[in-house]
């Protein structure tokens, strides 16, 4: 395994499959009455959040606590950062306090990479979302969810997502989720199509390992999983699209559109959902929608990442042997 | 002032000759000149050029003396072979009045490492709204002839038109920082495949090209002269080429870093590569080199932009834009233009001394190396090879993209009006 997790593009297929397999092991812990492993006892992990994200922070915190790690939450708002302290100084303060790993969320693309490579600290760095760059644990939990639903919970062990067709819809330009997913899904053998208005696709997207389309309706019948991306209403004011109504007419997912998908196909969303614009309530609440599962899987996947990065050489979960020698 | 005999120097890269300096003037150029009464500098086949002239330097004083001062900046200039630099106006306070430009000019004269010619702001406070007192700056002791809001674009077409018209009264030139502001909101690096991957705000080539296109047309319309700062794209080259073919009075500059570095380096997220305009692609770099060689781009200008360590030792988005360049410019030009066969040393003298002096009207600089001319000269050891070590920089700042990179050539001597400002690689 690598030392840091900065980008989904850095993961080899073997690494990615190992993380997903380990996450399956971790998921079993969630089924136990006491949902806790001693794996990271005595280790201190800091959740360094320069940007608000309650969902991601709580998910990491739950994962850390289930592995028995000591958790420090550092929110930049109201901290010395707002008084002008730099990322470097903050990181070095945490290192001096003996932190064993840093989970960082930052509004600037590349901040976790700088933290990991500038020699400011020695601890492993896990990217919990940086600017419009990457959010690798989100991609891992999405892949985990797809593998469970499309390959099978047990059948998926050791497997990738070969030949599965995944469509990502919406604001690709500003989406770290889209970037991480394209990289990871490609590594795992899936065929990815991005669907968005041209204004919400980055210049240079043609070099990505995926297809690009402006037409959702023609893509849906060939899709095993469709992932709706969050669209911020303020994008409308910046002329990325004319009106909310026009956006949802062309790129929103409603019941009629969902009916065009194959029966086994699932609907995913990284949350929080903007109901009515990118996805209707009918779709969001349907059985095909995996939003709630994705949240649960986020904890398992992050447990797997933390465990593996912090030197887990042995299987995370030891099974009591019942058979003889 | 004593006599100096430079013995066996390849003048503009030609056959070795002797050059005798007497006082502030070149007394004689020839072979076997008498060394009587003169201090002898054995050139040993080094290249002798007219002192370099930089039309685009940031000296930071007044206001950001922690980054650079007129003293340290001109020492860096002397180390890099420059005898005159044009100091950009984006200081604190902004150089938009006669008082500020006179202060900068006077500091340059006092320190004596190279001539400092202040550039005046086009608009008050660089805000792009109201013309600064261009005439007063021109009439001041500093005699300002070049005006620029560099760092910011004079984006309002009417203000730009008026500025171009107004400076005609005293033969001035407006140097435009071509950056359409709306197209570059949140821009962090060149817009293209690398920015798409890194998730950094894209800086499209068209943001530069559209302003250049507009400004050459404005210059044509009002019959004025415009200079385009730091061209960075292949498309910009095409527009300048077209404008010149049409007879428009436009000149253009390119920085050394845009002749060598590409946006691939941004993958490191190391803010030492963060610069305005941003590093572009290989295709752009090659187009810029060709254009400098064929004269479409008139000059090399450093855009020397010193920043203190803390402004670069941080995450990319928080970092300041800019690179220091005075001390490495000639080496980069040697590598990208001379050693590739695109320019000879006479061509380097033209692009780095003669033409910039002409555009900025720096009389006494960029003159031929011949008898009767001012002794503004630089001696270059072109055979030298070595890694760039910023610890040895005279500049107060160390934000060079070339740290640890091998670059050819080294300036060993610089003379300003016959007085050594750099001798044997050491500041005099």
């Amino acid at each position: 395994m690598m030392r840091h997790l900065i980008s989904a593009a850095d993961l080899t297929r073997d690494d990615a499959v190992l993380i997903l397999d380990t996450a399956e092991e971790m998921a079993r812990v969630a089924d136990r009455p006491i949902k806790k492993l001693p794996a990271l006892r005595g280790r201190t992990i800091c959740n360094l959040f320069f940007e608000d994200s309650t969902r991601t922070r709580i998910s990491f915190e739950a994962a850390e606590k289930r592995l028995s790690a000591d958790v420090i939450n550092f929110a930049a708002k109201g901290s010395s950062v707002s008084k002008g302290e730099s990322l470097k100084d903050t990181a070095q303060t945490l290192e001096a306090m003996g932190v064993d790993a840093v989970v960082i969320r930052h509004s600037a693309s590349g901040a976790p990479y700088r933290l990991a490579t500038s020699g400011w600290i020695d601890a492993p760095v896990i990217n919990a979302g940086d600017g419009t760059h990457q959010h690798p644990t989100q991609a891992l939990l999405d892949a985990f969810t797809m593998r469970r639903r499309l390959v099978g919970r047990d059948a998926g062990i050791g497997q990738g997502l070969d030949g599965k067709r995944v469509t990502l819809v919406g604001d690709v330009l500003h989406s770290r989720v889209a970037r991480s997913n394209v990289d990871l899904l490609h590594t795992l053998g899936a065929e990815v199509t991005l669907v968005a208005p041209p204004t919400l696709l980055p210049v240079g997207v043609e070099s990505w390992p995926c297809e690009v389309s402006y037409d959702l309706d023609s893509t849906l019948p060939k899709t095993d999983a469709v992932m709706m991306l969050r669209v911020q209403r303020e994008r409308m004011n910046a002329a990325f699209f004319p009106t909310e109504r026009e956006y949802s007419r062309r790129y929103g997912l409603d019941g009629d559109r969902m009916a065009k998908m194959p029966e086994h196909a699932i609907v995913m969303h990284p949350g929080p959902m903007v109901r009515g614009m990118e996805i209707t309530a009918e779709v969001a609440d349907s059985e095909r929608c995996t939003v709630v599962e994705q949240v649960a899987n986020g904890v398992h996947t992050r447990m797997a990442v933390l465990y593996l990065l912090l030197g887990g050489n042995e299987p995370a979960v030891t099974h009591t042997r019942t058979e003889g020698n | 002032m004593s006599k100096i005999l430079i013995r066996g120097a390849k003048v503009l890269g030609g056959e070795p000759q002797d050059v005798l300096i007497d006082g502030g003037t070149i007394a004689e150029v020839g072979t076997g000149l008498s060394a009587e009464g003169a201090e002898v500098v054995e050139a040993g086949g080094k290249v002798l050029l007219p002192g370099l002239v930089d039309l685009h330097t940031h000296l930071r004083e007044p206001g950001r003396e922690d980054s650079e001062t007129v003293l340290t900046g001109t020492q860096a200039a002397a180390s890099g072979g420059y005898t005159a630099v044009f100091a950009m106006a984006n200081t604190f306070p902004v150089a938009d009045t006669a008082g500020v430009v006179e202060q900068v000019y006077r500091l340059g004269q006092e320190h004596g490492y190279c001539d400092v010619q202040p550039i005046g702001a086009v608009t008050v406070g660089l805000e792009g709204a109201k013309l600064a007192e261009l005439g007063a700056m021109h009439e001041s002791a500093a005699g300002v002839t070049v005006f620029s809001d560099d760092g910011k674009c004079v984006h309002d077409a009417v203000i730009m038109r008026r500025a171009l018209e107004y400076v005609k009264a005293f033969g001035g030139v407006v140097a435009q920082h071509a950056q359409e502001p709306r197209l570059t909101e949140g821009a962090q690096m060149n817009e293209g495949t690398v920015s798409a991957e890194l998730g950094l705000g894209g800086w499209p080539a068209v943001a530069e090209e559209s302003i250049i296109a507009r400004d050459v047309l404005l210059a044509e319309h009002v019959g004025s002269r415009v200079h385009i700062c730091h061209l960075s794209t292949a498309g910009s080259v095409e527009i300048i080429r077209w404008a010149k073919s049409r007879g428009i009075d436009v000149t253009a500059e390119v920085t050394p870093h845009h002749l060598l570095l590409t946006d691939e380096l941004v993958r490191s997220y190391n803010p030492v590569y963060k610069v305005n305009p941003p590093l572009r692609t290989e295709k752009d770099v090659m187009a810029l080199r060709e254009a400098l060689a064929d004269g479409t781009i008139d000059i090399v200008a450093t855009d020397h932009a010193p920043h203190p360590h803390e402004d670069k030792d941080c995450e990319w988005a928080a970092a300041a834009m800019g690179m220091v360049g005075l001390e490495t410019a000639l080496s980069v030009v040697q590598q990208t233009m001379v050693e590739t066969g695109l320019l000879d040393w006479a061509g380097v003298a033209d692009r780095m001394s003669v033409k910039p002096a002409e555009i900025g009207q720096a009389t006494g600089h960029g003159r031929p190396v011949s008898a009767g001319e001012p002794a503004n000269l630089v001696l270059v050891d072109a055979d030298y090879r070595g890694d760039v070590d910023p610890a040895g920089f005279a500049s107060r700042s160390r934000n060079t993209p070339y740290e640890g990179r091998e670059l050819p050539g080294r300036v060993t001597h610089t003379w300003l009006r016959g007085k050594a400002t750099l001798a044997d690689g050491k500041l005099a």
Side-chain angles (χ1 to χ4, degrees), chain A residues 287-305:
Chain A
E287 280 200 358
R288 297 172 126 192
C289 183
T290 62
V291 171
V292 179
E293 267 173 74
Q294 286 170 266
V295 173
N297 292 341
V299 178
H300 313 148
T301 314
R302 287 172 179 130
M303 286 173 78
V305 167

Side-chain angles (χ1 to χ4, degrees), chain B residues 154-212:
Chain B
V154 182
H155 61 88
D156 184 310
V158 172
I159 297 282
M160 186 62 186
R161 175 200 170 142
R162 301 288 181 238
L164 287 169
E165 286 176 311
Y166 195 82
V167 300
K168 278 202 291 185
F170 42 83
V173 64
V174 177
Q176 175 67 293
H177 173 117
Q179 181 190 353
E180 211 293 317
R182 285 279 282 146
L183 285 173
T184 50
E185 277 171 18
Q188 294 286 327
M189 67 171 297
N190 179 47
E191 182 166 72
T193 55
V194 181
S195 67
E197 217 175 291
L198 297 184
L200 287 172
W203 195 310
V206 68
E208 175 173 312
E209 294 155 6
S210 58
I211 292 290
I212 297 175

Side-chain angles (χ1 to χ4, degrees), chain A residues 87-88 106 108-111 113-114 117 120 130 132-133 179 202-208, chain B residues 191-193 195-201 267-271 309 312-317:
Chain A
L87 173 64
K88 178 184 175 180
H106 204 290
S109 299
Y113 183 90
R114 284 286 281 165
T117 58
W120 299 336
D130 62 327
T132 53
H133 177 221
R179 281 173 178 76
V203 167
V205 72
E206 56 282 357
S207 68
W208 293 8
Chain B
E191 182 166 72
T193 55
S195 67
E197 217 175 291
L198 297 184
L200 287 172
R267 291 184 189 280
S268 67
Y269 282 110
N270 186 345
H309 184 63
K312 287 289 193 180
D313 191 31
C314 57
E315 52 276 30
W316 180 278

Side-chain angles (χ1 to χ4, degrees), chain B residues 42 69 374:
Chain B
E42 293 292 351
T69 63

Side-chain angles (χ1 to χ4, degrees), chain B residues 9 33 42 66 110 130 188 195 225 241 347 374 419 428:
Chain B
L33 297 188
E42 293 292 351
D66 57 328
E110 278 174 18
K130 190 172 178 298
Q188 294 286 327
S195 67
R225 185 160 75 100
R241 193 169 280 142
K419 180 174 168 289

